[in-house]
Structure formats: structure tokens, C-alpha cells
């Protein structure tokens, strides 16, 4: 419900309170409104007030469908929001809640529950789902007999533990007595159409009981959230064609890494972002590789194919619309069936062998090594839609206004006798020309935010391109005149070649915005030194900052660096507090629950 639609009859606020709230909102910019929205949601632990009635008070609370979401990059939150909108359009009462803001003890009050959750890493839950995921496996979890549930998972089938978190949630809820009323969906990266189908099916199953219970209680549920701010019309489904203003290499000539500072103009888009958010970027596949694929499959480049409701040439589809770099089992299986190649058909029967096969190969490698004549439409049907790549934003809009900056490491490697490049990083670093148009959208990340209180100290650990969001953090705190102390840990192989944004960092140190900087250049001495080693060297100081209320942030590699930094933190807490391993882990869990320990890892 829009704020302007609230009135004394339908609102828990008095008319005077509504007027005061409207006056406050009018004074806030979009970023401030977003912060207020998060603050209210966190305090209410729900996105709605339910059971508000007109006329005589109801004897029972109105039945509502609770939608819990756990989202690492924002995709699961997006699906959950669509589920909420569809439910409300049917006249159903809905509570939309992030798992990070949900009290596990509230489970015993639920009657109708949907779970929308992503999986990342090795079958791990997203950050905001960790506490609830863990709670459901403990003896403290309540019996849920009579609770009706439906679960939808988002993942990437190129990983071994595809949608594992969704499977875990359904299994654990069922074990507690909950009844699944609609079959779980495990969705791959190209999930939009299947998600829409699942939402319709799930609501068809929930609706009769929900409406019957709403009628029995006589309750009218009024959605009440923070004021709705004007959103940009540009989204993942409808990206903005932005001008690529600058692509500049910021590593040295002799560096083992090729890192680019990228600036993109958002002028005229209305797109807003907050430090901690990501930018989705669509790219074009290499035309030379596309032509090679067409030659290997003996397809006429001008052949017309259907992609959804659109018709276009197979060449244009391969350049603009379809994935040719990231391998996944589904492509190999479909291509094997389409071509009848015996070696590929064997892989279909052996999941372990399949994963070993696709790990070093991009999709065009599979085609190159198994050429066969196929129909144009058949090849299209084997491939999935090209997905935008998400990059941590490296700028604050208060500083750069209608621009957005990125820090992108070029993915490049030798395989099977030829150079291979990442899909988007290869496009931006090697093929795209400054001044060309790139399709982009902003992806909000509520799980990676500066503290609302500008006096709060922050510790930032961002080796390599993990420096990106902390450049945005520093720009934002500088622009706001924040008095809180800032401590940066940065690492890369060599000081002379790989000190990203060195001049800016040294400038912030000189001005006093940065209170401390610790750098770890791993290859500049015989013994390799990493950011986790620098944390341990500053053990007393790090713990003192945490005890003083500091927020701790990690950005970068999830598989090794983030885990090593986490272990370093455990050791620091043990060394300075006398806690054992279990209590030190609990200390970090408490920090995470208070949004004081946040990760942006990939």
C-alpha cells in the first residue's frame, strides 16, 4: 500500500501520524528512504501488519502466507517479491520476510509457509539464511504438524550441489511435520519462466485454504511497508543501454593479472545504487568463436531461429542471446542426444565424469572437440540464455553521480592449445570499445551495507578485485563526513604491479579518512604473506575494534580467502578472549546476526 492511501480506518496510525510520516518521507532522498525501509523491516520482523480489522475486533488473527527468502545476490529476493505480488493480486494476505530478519521461534505460529532460497559455493546457504538453516537441524526446532509449505530453489547446475539449500529446507521442514503442498522446483540460472509457472502452481494450492481461514477470522490484512520509492524502469529483464565511458588497465605491465577500472554512464536511466550493491552487465560473445561454432555444426549463419517469442538469425542469437562460455551438464546432455556422439553420451550416465569433463572446458570447446551437423534450432534449444555477470560496484553515487565504476579482473587461461577468456571480462577488456553501449542494471544487496551510524568503525578485507566495494564505502564515508574509523586490509602479488587504487588509498590515509591500511603483497618476499596473516599480526587491534562495535567486511574469493580470513578471526577471538573454538564461532554468529560481519564473496 502506498503511504498516500493510508487513512484512519485502514491504518494503525492516526491521521496526524500519517501526516508526520508523509512529511518526513518528502525530506528524504532515495538512499535515505531505502535505509528507513530496512530499519522498519528489521524492527517489525515482517513486511506486513496482519489482523488489522475494520469494525469490531476479530477473535482470531487473519491467516497469511509467509514468504521467507534467503538471497545471496538478489535473485531469490526477486522471485519472493513476485510471489508476494501475485498472492496479493489474488486477495491473499502475505508476509514477506528475509531469513536474516526472521526469528526462528516464530515458526511455531506459521500455518502457510513458502521458502525461496538460493545455493552458493559447495551447497551452502546464502549468508542471510545461515541461522535459520542451522536452527531447523537442532533440537530446538518446533514441531510443525499442520503447517503447509512449498519450497523453490535457485542455483547453477554447473555446480555439484545444485539447489542443495532448497532441498535441505524442505527435508528439515518435512521432518518437523510440515506438509509439502506443491512440488519443490530446483531452478537453474535461466529461471524466470519456470519461476513464474511455479508461483502460479503454488498459489493455486495455497489459495483455497488461505481464503477459507481468512473468511473464518473475518480479518482484513493491510499491507504496510516503508514508503515506496520511485524505482528505475530498468531491471534484469529490461536492462539500460549505457555508454561505456572508460576501460583502463590498473595493473602493471609485468603483472600476472590484468585488472581493469571500468566507468559506465547511467545518465538518463534513473538507476540508483548504494555502496555494497552490484551491477549486472550483459555482453556480446566473440564473433570469431561464433563463426567457428557455425562452421563446426554446418549451420547457415542466416538461418532463422526462435528464442522465446522472438525470431532472429542464428548468428545474432549466438552473439547476443546465448551462453557459449560457462559449461554446465545440461548442455552436454542435450548436445550429446542431438549429435549422437558416443563419448558424450557416456558422460550423460556418469555425473562424476561429466563434472570432470566440463570443468576445464567452455561450451565452444565441447563443440570444437565434438563437431557434428545439427539444425540451427536444435543448437539453440541445447543452449541456455546468456546471463548477465554481476560485479561489485566500486563507486558511491554521492561521489560520481550519474556514473558507476567497476573493478574487473580479466579471466584468461590457456586450454587445449588456445587462449580462453571469460565471457564478460573478455568482452569488456578486449573487444568492447569506449563509447559503445552495454546493457546494465543494478542489483541491490541488503546483506552488504555500511553501518547506518557514521560514527561506527569498520574493518574491510578486500584482496585483489575484492577492493571494489570498499572503494565505494570510502567514497561514501568521505562524502558523508563520517567520523567512524576505517581500517583496510588489501592484498595482491606485487606492490609495484598490483597495488590497485594506490594513489586513492594513500590519499585517504593522508587525509585521515583511512585510520589504518595493512597490505599483504604475497610474492614480494620468500615467504608468502596474505591478508589473513596481516589480520593475525594485528590480532589485539582487530579484537579491540570488534569489542568497540566495529563492523567487519570481507569481499573476494569464497573458496579460499574468505574461509582463511574467517579462521583467522576465530583464532583472534580465542587468543584475546580465552574462548574455545565453539564460543569463538558463536561470537562471529552473533556479529553476523547483528549485521556486523558481512561478506560479498564469489
Amino acid at each position: 500500500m502506498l503511504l498516500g492511501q493510508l487513512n484512519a480506518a485502514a491504518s494503525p496510525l492516526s491521521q496526524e501520524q500519517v501526516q508526520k510520516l508523509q512529511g518526513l518521507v518528502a525530506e528524504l532522498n532515495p538512499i535515505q528512504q531505502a535505509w528507513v525501509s530496512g530499519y522498519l523491516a528489521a524492527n517489525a520482523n515482517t513486511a506486513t501488519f496482519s489482523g488489522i480489522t475494520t469494525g469490531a475486533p476479530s477473535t482470531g488473527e487473519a491467516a497469511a502466507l509467509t514468504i521467507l527468502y534467503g538471497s545471496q545476490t538478489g535473485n531469490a529476493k526477486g522471485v519472493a517479491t513476485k510471489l508476494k505480488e501475485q498472492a496479493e493480486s489474488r486477495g491473499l494476505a502475505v508476509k514477506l520476510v528475509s531469513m536474516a530478519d526472521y526469528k526462528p521461534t516464530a515458526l511455531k505460529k506459521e500455518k502457510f509457509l513458502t521458502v525461496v532460497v538460493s545455493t552458493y559455493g559447495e551447497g551452502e546457504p546464502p549468508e542471510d539464511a545461515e541461522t535459520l538453516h542451522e536452527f531447523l537441524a537442532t533440537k530446538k526446532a518446533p514441531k510443525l504438524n499442520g503447517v503447509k509449505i512449498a519450497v523453490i530453489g535457485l542455483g547453477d547446475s554447473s555446480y555439484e550441489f545444485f539447489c542443495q539449500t532448497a532441498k535441505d529446507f524442505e527435508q528439515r521442514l518435512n521432518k518437523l511435520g510440515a506438509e509439502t503442498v506443491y512440488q519443490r522446483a530446483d531452478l537453474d540460472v535461466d529461471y524466470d519462466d519456470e519461476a513464474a509457472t511455479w508461483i502460479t502452481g503454488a498459489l493455486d494450492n495455497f489459495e483455497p485454504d488461505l481464503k477459507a481461514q481468512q473468511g473464518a477470522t473475518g480479518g482484513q490484512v493491510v499491507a504496510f511497508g516503508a514508503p515506496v520509492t520511485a524505482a528505475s524502469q530498468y531491471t534484469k529483464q529490461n536492462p539500460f543501454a549505457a555508454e561505456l565511458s572508460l576501460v583502463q588497465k590498473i595493473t602493471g605491465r609485468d603483472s600476472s593479472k590484468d585488472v581493469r577500472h571500468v566507468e559506465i554512464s547511467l545518465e538518463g536511466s534513473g538507476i540508483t545504487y548504494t555502496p555494497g550493491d552490484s551491477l549486472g552487465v550483459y555482453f556480446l560473445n566473440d564473433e570469431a568463436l561464433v563463426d567457428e561454432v557455425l562452421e563446426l555444426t554446418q549451420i547457415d549463419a542466416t538461418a532463422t531461429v526462435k528464442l522465446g517469442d522472438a525470431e532472429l538469425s542464428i548468428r545474432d542469437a549466438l552473439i547476443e542471446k546465448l551462453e557459449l562460455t560457462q559449461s554446465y551438464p545440461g548442455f552436454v546432455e542435450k548436445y550429446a542426444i542431438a549429435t549422437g556422439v558416443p563419448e558424450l553420451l557416456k558422460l550423460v550416465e556418469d555425473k562424476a565424469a561429466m563434472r570432470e569433463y566440463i570443468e576445464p572446458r567452455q561450451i565452444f570447446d565441447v563443440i570444437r572437440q565434438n563437431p557434428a551437423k545439427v539444425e540451427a534450432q536444435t543448437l539453440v534449444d541445447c543452449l541456455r540464455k546468456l546471463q548477465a555477470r554481476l560485479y561489485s560496484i566500486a563507486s558511491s553515487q554521492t561521489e560520481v553521480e550519474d556514473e558507476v565504476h567497476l573493478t574487473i579482473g580479466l579471466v584468461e587461461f590457456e586450454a587445449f592449445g588456445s587462449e580462453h577468456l571469460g565471457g564478460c571480462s573478455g568482452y569488456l577488456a578486449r573487444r568492447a570499445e569506449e563509447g559503445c553501449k552495454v546493457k546494465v542494471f543494478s542489483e541491490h544487496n541488503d546483506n552488504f551495507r555500511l553501518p547506518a551510524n557514521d560514527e561506527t568503525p569498520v574493518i574491510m578485507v578486500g584482496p585483489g578485485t575484492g577492493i571494489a566495494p570498499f572503494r565505494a564505502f570510502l567514497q561514501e564515508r568521505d562524502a558523508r563526513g563520517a567520523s567512524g574509523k576505517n581500517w583496510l586490509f588489501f592484498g595482491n602479488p606485487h606492490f609495484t604491479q598490483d597495488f590497485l587504487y594506490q594513489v586513492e588509498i594513500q590519499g585517504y590515509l593522508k587525509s585521515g579518512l583511512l585510520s589504518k591500511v595493512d597490505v599483504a603483497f604475497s610474492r614480494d618476499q620468500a615467504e608468502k604473506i596474505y591478508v589473513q596473516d596481516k589480520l593475525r599480526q594485528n590480532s589485539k587491534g582487530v579484537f579491540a575494534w570488534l569489542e568497540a562495535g566495529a563492523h567487519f567486511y570481507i569481499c573476494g574469493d569464497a573458496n579460499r580467502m574468505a574461509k582463511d580470513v574467517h579462521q583467522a578471526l576465530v583464532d583472534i577471538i580465542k587468543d584475546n578472549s580465552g574462548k574455545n573454538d565453539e564460543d569463538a564461532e558463536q561470537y562471529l554468529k552473533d556479529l553476523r546476526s547483528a549485521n556486523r560481519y558481512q561478506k560479498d564473496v564469489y
Side-chain angles (χ1 to χ4, degrees):
M1 172 177 287
L2 294 175
L3 187 63
Q5 296 172 312
L6 290 172
N7 56 56
S11 167
L13 304 181
S14 68
Q15 190 60 41
E16 182 183 359
Q17 288 173 318
V18 170
Q19 290 172 350
K20 286 180 179 178
L21 191 52
Q22 288 172 328
L24 172 63
V25 171
E27 297 174 6
L28 301 178
N29 63 38
I31 291 173
Q32 291 170 324
Q33 289 181 24
W35 182 87
V36 171
S37 172
Y39 176 84
L40 290 173
N43 276 272
N45 194 24
T46 178
T48 60
F49 291 99
S50 59
I52 300 166
T53 64
T54 57
S58 168
T59 56
E61 184 175 331
L65 174 64
T66 296
I67 304 171
L68 289 178
Y69 66 87
S71 188
Q72 192 69 25
T73 63
N75 289 337
K77 181 181 179 182
V79 171
T81 301
K82 288 178 181 176
L83 174 58
K84 173 181 179 286
E85 292 168 352
Q86 289 293 316
E88 288 177 337
S89 72
R90 297 179 182 220
L92 302 177
V94 186
K95 293 187 289 187
L96 175 67
V97 192
S98 165
M99 291 183 187
D101 298 328
Y102 187 76
K103 293 179 180 178
T105 53
L107 275 170
K108 59 190 175 188
K109 299 179 182 178
E110 303 294 355
K111 295 298 180 187
F112 305 95
L113 179 66
T114 52
V115 172
V116 187
V117 67
S118 61
T119 297
Y120 86 107
E122 299 175 7
E124 298 160 11
E127 290 273 300
D128 53 2
E130 284 183 0
T131 299
L132 184 61
H133 182 263
E134 183 178 299
F135 174 81
L136 290 174
T138 67
K139 292 180 180 179
K140 293 181 180 179
K143 294 297 181 186
L144 299 177
N145 298 320
V147 179
K148 299 182 184 296
I149 67 164
V151 178
I152 181 171
L154 274 65
D156 184 339
S157 63
S158 60
Y159 290 92
E160 182 177 357
F161 300 99
F162 175 56
C163 286
Q164 185 61 47
T165 304
K167 297 171 186 175
D168 290 346
F169 268 103
E170 184 175 56
Q171 182 183 43
R172 293 175 187 183
L173 291 168
N174 288 157
K175 192 174 180 180
L176 294 169
E179 175 195 356
T180 296
V181 297
Y182 191 63
Q183 183 177 357
R184 187 190 73 245
D186 299 330
L187 305 188
D188 211 341
V189 294
D190 183 14
Y191 61 82
D192 289 325
D193 293 342
E194 290 180 77
T197 301
W198 185 89
I199 287 171
T200 300
L203 291 177
D204 286 346
N205 281 271
F206 279 116
E207 185 171 3
D209 287 340
L210 264 168
K211 284 196 169 177
Q213 289 206 21
Q214 283 178 213
T217 60
Q220 175 191 353
V221 176
V222 180
F224 176 84
V228 178
T229 61
S232 168
Q233 62 179 304
Y234 298 105
T235 62
K236 180 180 181 181
Q237 291 74 31
N238 179 39
F240 175 66
E243 181 179 322
L244 182 64
S245 307
L246 176 71
V247 180
Q248 181 179 32
K249 188 178 181 185
I250 55 174
T251 43
R253 182 184 306 168
D254 299 322
S255 174
S256 59
K257 299 182 177 185
D258 184 338
V259 177
R260 305 294 175 110
H261 173 74
V262 176
E263 297 183 3
I264 295 170
S265 171
L266 299 177
E267 188 174 352
S269 69
I271 292 175
T272 60
Y273 59 87
T274 302
D277 288 344
S278 298
L279 191 77
V281 183
Y282 287 99
F283 60 95
L284 302 179
N285 284 311
D286 189 333
E287 294 186 19
L289 291 176
V290 167
D291 290 338
E292 183 182 359
V293 165
L294 292 171
E295 185 178 342
L296 292 168
T297 52
Q298 300 176 47
I299 294 174
D300 180 354
T302 63
T304 300
V305 294
K306 284 200 71 173
L307 200 58
D309 296 330
E311 288 193 359
L312 65 168
S313 75
I314 179 67
R315 188 172 188 272
D316 287 345
L318 290 173
I319 292 172
E320 301 173 16
K321 303 292 185 181
L322 297 166
E323 183 64 64
L324 286 178
T325 48
Q326 290 184 345
S327 294
Y328 56 101
F331 168 74
V332 178
E333 182 175 346
K334 290 176 182 177
Y335 187 73
I337 294 169
T339 60
V341 176
E343 290 79 5
L344 295 182
L345 288 169
K346 288 179 185 176
L347 293 173
V348 175
E349 305 301 321
D350 188 339
K351 288 186 177 180
M354 171 73 83
R355 297 198 177 280
E356 186 177 342
Y357 176 79
I358 66 173
E359 198 277 328
R361 290 173 171 82
Q362 294 182 327
I363 286 176
F364 68 81
D365 287 317
V366 178
I367 297 172
R368 182 183 285 163
Q369 293 167 15
N370 302 278
K373 180 178 173 61
V374 295
E375 295 298 318
Q377 188 64 49
T378 301
L379 180 61
V380 167
D381 294 340
C382 289
L383 296 164
R384 65 187 181 191
K385 291 179 185 175
L386 185 146
Q387 297 297 307
R389 304 304 196 252
L390 287 177
Y391 294 101
S392 302
I393 291 175
S395 56
S396 162
Q397 209 157 17
T398 54
E399 170 85 13
V400 302
E401 298 182 343
D402 283 342
E403 288 184 5
V404 62
H405 298 176
L406 306 174
T407 311
I408 297 178
L410 173 64
V411 176
E412 54 182 335
F413 59 97
E414 288 288 325
F416 313 111
S418 66
E419 180 187 53
H420 288 55
L421 300 176
C424 193
S425 65
Y427 172 68
L428 290 174
R430 294 283 184 87
R431 301 191 300 279
E433 297 182 358
E434 291 179 2
C436 78
K437 298 291 186 181
V438 289
K439 294 179 179 178
V440 302
F441 60 94
S442 64
E443 190 76 72
H444 297 293
N445 183 359
D446 296 329
N447 302 316
F448 204 75
R449 286 285 183 258
L450 275 168
N453 185 342
D454 284 345
E455 296 178 1
T456 303
V458 301
I459 302 173
M460 302 164 282
V461 182
T465 55
I467 189 68
F470 303 133
R471 181 176 184 263
F473 277 19
L474 290 168
Q475 285 186 359
E476 178 74 8
R477 292 205 114 186
D478 191 34
R480 285 180 5 196
S483 59
K485 296 189 296 182
N486 302 290
W487 189 350
L488 175 67
F489 288 83
F490 173 74
N492 239 348
H494 297 286
F495 170 80
T496 58
Q497 304 292 322
D498 306 304
F499 196 163
L500 308 182
Y501 302 114
Q502 178 183 354
V503 173
E504 291 181 21
I505 290 170
Q506 290 175 331
Y508 286 140
L509 192 59
K510 186 176 181 181
S511 73
L513 180 72
L514 267 170
S515 309
K516 289 177 67 93
V517 175
D518 279 273
V519 292
F521 293 104
S522 58
R523 304 303 196 274
D524 279 351
Q525 59 284 312
E527 182 183 356
K528 293 177 183 176
I529 298 176
Y530 299 104
V531 285
Q532 59 267 26
D533 301 314
K534 287 290 183 177
L535 283 164
R536 285 192 172 92
Q537 289 173 15
N538 288 273
S539 174
K540 287 190 182 342
V542 169
F543 187 71
W545 277 48
L546 292 177
E547 287 289 280
H551 287 214
F552 192 98
Y553 302 88
I554 306 173
C555 182
D557 171 56
N559 293 325
R560 296 187 60 182
M561 183 277 295
K563 291 178 180 178
D564 290 342
V565 168
H566 181 90
Q567 186 56 53
L569 276 177
V570 170
D571 294 340
I572 287 168
I573 294 162
K574 287 165 55 182
D575 292 345
N576 290 277
S577 68
K579 296 181 187 293
N580 58 25
D581 279 316
E582 184 178 348
D583 290 341
E585 288 284 1
Q586 186 59 49
Y587 184 99
L588 289 176
K589 285 180 183 177
D590 292 342
L591 287 185
R592 189 158 52 234
S593 296
N595 293 320
R596 289 181 51 205
Y597 179 29
Q598 301 182 31
K599 302 176 190 174
D600 177 11
V601 295
Y602 38 85

